[in-house]
Amino acid sequence: MVKSHNSKEFWNEFRRSIGGRCKIPCTVDGNNGDDKNASLFHDKYHELYNSVPYNETEMDHIKADINTQIDINGVCPSITPDCVSRAISRMKARKSDGVSGHSSDHLLNATPKLHTHLALLFSSMLIHGAVPTDMTISTLVPIPKNRRKSLNDSNNYRAIALSSLLGKTLDHILLLQYSDHLFTSDLQYGFKKCHSTTQCTFILKEVVQYYLNNDSHVNVVLLDASRAFDRVNYTKLFRLLMKRQLCPVITRFLLRMYTNQTIRVRWGACISPLTPISNGVKQGGVLSPILFTIYMDELLLRLKSSSFGCHIGNIFCGALGYADDTVLLAPSLASLDAMLQVCEQYAVEYNVQFNSTNSKHLLFGHRSCNPTISFIGEAIMNVHTDTHLGNVIGNQSDTEIITQCIQKFICQANSVKSHFKHVHPDVLYRIFKTMCMSLYG
C-alpha cells in the first residue's frame, strides 16, 4: 500500500492494527443490557435537550414576523443542479444517515440526473416550508470521551449524531449561497476558513506582548461554558438570523426544522424511541457549528461595543472567541470587571451557563499580589500558566511549551515503536512522520 500510494487503504489498515473502535460494555451505571443502556442515555439526552425550552409566545411572534417578510419580499431562493453537485462534492465518504441505512457514497457516486431531481425537491421544500420527517431525526451514538477511564460510567460518554444525508446536502447548499449572511466578526475564529486555534492563541499572545512592551499590565480571563452547543435558545437564535437579514424563506425552513427535531439513541443493537427536543443546535447538522458561532458572536459584539478591554490603536482586541471558548483581555481590574458584567448579562439572556470554577485568571506583568476576580458570584482561580485552545499561555509559557512538546514527542515515539516494531522500515518511517512529527500550526 505504501508503494502503490494508496493512502486511504494504508490508514484503514493502520486503524485496524491499533484496535479500531472499542467494544461497548454490557453494563453502564449499573444497567445491564443494550435496551437498558439505550434507555439510560435516552433519558439523559432528553433532559439535556429540553433544559432550555423556548417561549411559545415569542416563537409565535417570530413566525408571524417571518411570514410578513415573505409576503413583502416575495423572493424565493432558486437551487440549481450545479449547486447540488457542488454541495455533494463537499461530503465525506462512508457516512451513514442513521435512519434509512443509506451512505454518503450513494450521493457521491450517483448519476448527475439525481442532482436535477434533488434541486427540484429542495426548491419545493423551501417554497412550501415543508420539512420531511427524516430530516428532523438524529440518531445519537454514545462513544467514550476517554478510553483510559471507566467505560461503565455514563459521564465518560459523549454523543455523535447520525443525521439525514439530504439534510446535510441542503446545509452545504445554504452555506454556499448565503455565506454573506452567515458570517461572524473578526473576533470569532471558530469554524472559519483559514482560521485555527493556533492563530487565535497567537493573536492573544501578541496583544499581551504589545501591552507588556508599553509597560502595562494585562488581565486575561479564560471563560469556561458548560454544554454551550446544547443550550442554544431557539427564539434568540432565529432573532439573530433575522437581524442578519437572512432570506426569510430560508429562516422559515430552518425554524420549522429546529422546532420539529427529534432524537433517538442507538446502543449496540437497540434503538430507543424518538423524543422531541427544544434547545441546542441541530445534532449532526453541517450548518450547526456556523449557527452556534453566530449565537456566541453576539457576546463578542457586545464586549466590543462596551469599549472596555484591550485596544491596539483603534482596534478592539479585548475579547477573542473560538466557538464556545472565550477569552477576555483587559489592562485594568475595573475594565475587566465591566467586561465580566457584560458576560453575566449575556449569559442570563441567552441561557449560556458559564462555569466560574473552571474559568481561569492570568496576570501578565509585575504586581505584588494576585487580585481576586469574582464572576457570577464566585471567585475565579488565579494561575500562572494555563491552556488556551490546546496551547500553553502564561509568563513561563515558552518553557512550558518546549517541555510539553518534548514529552509528547517521546510518548508518541515510544507508542509507535511499541505497536509497530515488526513492520517494514518504510512503513514505520511513514507512521513516525505522521504520528510523531506533526508540524500543524
Side-chain angles (χ1 to χ4, degrees):
M1 286 180 286
V2 175
K3 293 181 179 180
S4 63
H5 303 289
N6 192 334
S7 179
K8 184 183 295 184
E9 287 302 319
F10 176 86
W11 291 114
N12 285 340
E13 182 63 27
F14 170 81
R15 283 186 284 270
R16 286 191 290 268
S17 67
I18 60 175
R21 297 179 180 177
C22 65
K23 294 182 179 179
I24 61 173
C26 296
T27 304
V28 179
D29 289 355
N31 294 282
N32 192 17
D34 288 355
D35 54 342
K36 292 184 179 180
N37 290 329
S39 179
L40 166 70
F41 284 103
H42 170 273
D43 294 341
K44 287 177 69 74
Y45 295 136
H46 172 78
E47 180 181 359
L48 173 62
Y49 293 116
N50 289 281
S51 58
V52 190
Y54 55 83
N55 185 289
E56 294 283 355
T57 303
E58 175 62 17
M59 183 60 75
D60 289 339
H61 290 323
I62 292 175
K63 292 177 181 178
D65 291 342
I66 292 174
N67 289 330
T68 300
Q69 290 182 3
I70 293 175
D71 292 338
I72 294 174
N73 297 326
V75 177
C76 187
S78 175
I79 297 178
T80 64
D82 178 65
C83 194
V84 173
S85 178
R86 290 166 58 200
I88 290 176
S89 67
R90 292 187 168 198
M91 300 181 70
K92 296 180 180 179
R94 297 188 298 278
K95 295 296 181 180
S96 171
D97 65 357
V99 178
S100 64
H102 292 149
S103 165
S104 55
D105 290 358
H106 290 98
L107 295 177
L108 290 168
N109 300 313
T111 171
K113 291 182 179 179
L114 177 64
H115 302 164
T116 301
H117 292 294
L118 289 180
L120 293 172
L121 172 64
F122 291 149
S123 296
S124 298
M125 287 164 49
L126 295 176
I127 290 172
H128 300 288
V131 183
T133 302
D134 281 2
M135 281 195 181
T136 64
I137 299 175
S138 295
T139 302
L140 304 185
V141 182
I143 62 172
K145 295 179 183 177
N146 189 339
R147 296 187 184 185
R148 296 182 179 180
K149 294 184 179 180
S150 174
L151 299 183
N152 304 110
D153 183 4
S154 64
N155 294 322
N156 188 33
Y157 286 84
R158 62 180 179 86
I160 59 171
L162 307 177
S163 59
S164 168
L165 295 171
L166 294 184
K168 291 181 178 181
T169 304
L170 185 55
D171 278 356
H172 280 300
I173 292 173
L174 297 181
L175 286 174
L176 287 169
Q177 293 193 340
Y178 296 96
S179 58
D180 55 336
H181 295 278
L182 301 173
F183 63 92
T184 52
S185 69
D186 293 337
L187 302 172
Q188 175 62 258
Y189 290 78
F191 306 107
K192 273 185 177 179
K193 187 177 181 180
C194 301
H195 288 66
S196 68
T197 54
T198 306
Q199 184 184 28
C200 186
T201 305
F202 172 77
I203 298 299
L204 187 159
K205 288 186 174 183
E206 287 297 299
V207 173
V208 169
Q209 194 59 49
Y210 173 83
Y211 272 77
L212 293 180
N213 291 342
N214 286 276
D215 298 322
S216 178
H217 307 293
V218 182
N219 293 276
V220 174
V221 171
L222 306 175
L223 294 179
D224 177 77
S226 302
R227 293 190 174 275
F229 280 83
D230 305 324
R231 292 177 56 84
V232 169
N233 185 302
Y234 292 165
T235 56
K236 299 294 184 181
L237 173 62
F238 286 98
R239 281 297 183 192
L240 290 174
L241 293 180
M242 294 173 66
K243 183 179 178 181
R244 290 167 177 268
Q245 298 183 341
L246 179 65
C247 173
V249 173
I250 302 300
T251 307
R252 179 184 64 180
F253 179 84
L254 291 175
L255 186 146
R256 290 183 178 178
M257 177 180 287
Y258 266 61
T259 54
N260 289 284
Q261 281 188 92
T262 55
I263 59 171
R264 60 185 184 179
V265 175
R266 189 179 76 190
W267 182 270
C270 292
I271 297 181
S272 71
L274 291 170
T275 182
I277 63 176
S278 56
N279 55 262
V281 291
K282 188 178 186 301
Q283 299 301 305
V286 175
L287 197 58
S288 298
I290 307 302
L291 296 180
F292 178 75
T293 56
I294 291 174
Y295 193 80
M296 292 298 295
D297 201 46
E298 178 66 16
L299 171 60
L300 300 175
L301 294 174
R302 289 189 180 191
L303 290 167
K304 182 179 181 179
S305 63
S306 71
S307 75
F308 294 106
C310 290
H311 288 72
I312 296 180
N314 294 324
I315 301 175
F316 173 78
C317 45
L320 303 171
Y322 194 98
D324 59 338
D325 286 290
T326 304
V327 57
L328 308 180
L329 301 96
S332 67
L333 293 178
S335 177
L336 179 62
D337 184 64
M339 297 177 76
L340 289 172
Q341 290 182 25
V342 173
C343 294
E344 287 188 24
Q345 183 179 359
Y346 170 83
V348 173
E349 290 183 33
Y350 284 79
N351 301 104
V352 175
Q353 197 171 44
F354 287 114
N355 190 336
S356 303
T357 305
N358 293 335
S359 299
K360 300 293 189 298
H361 172 231
L362 295 89
L363 176 61
F364 292 85
H366 299 289
R367 263 191 195 163
S368 57
C369 63
N370 288 324
T372 300
I373 307 297
S374 179
F375 180 50
I376 316 182
E378 296 183 15
I380 298 178
M381 182 185 301
N382 291 302
V383 295
H384 295 291
T385 60
D386 201 62
T387 302
H388 175 250
L389 302 174
N391 306 297
V392 179
I393 61 171
N395 291 312
Q396 302 296 324
S397 61
D398 291 342
T399 303
E400 292 282 345
I401 290 171
I402 293 172
T403 302
Q404 283 192 4
C405 287
I406 293 173
Q407 292 175 346
K408 185 177 180 181
F409 173 79
I410 294 173
C411 179
Q412 290 174 329
N414 287 335
S415 177
V416 169
K417 183 178 179 181
S418 174
H419 281 93
F420 305 100
K421 56 185 176 183
H422 298 301
V423 303
H424 190 277
D426 290 344
V427 176
L428 182 62
Y429 178 58
R430 180 169 183 180
I431 296 173
F432 174 80
K433 285 200 302 181
T434 303
M435 302 300 295
C436 307
M437 300 295 291
S438 173
L439 302 178
Y440 173 78

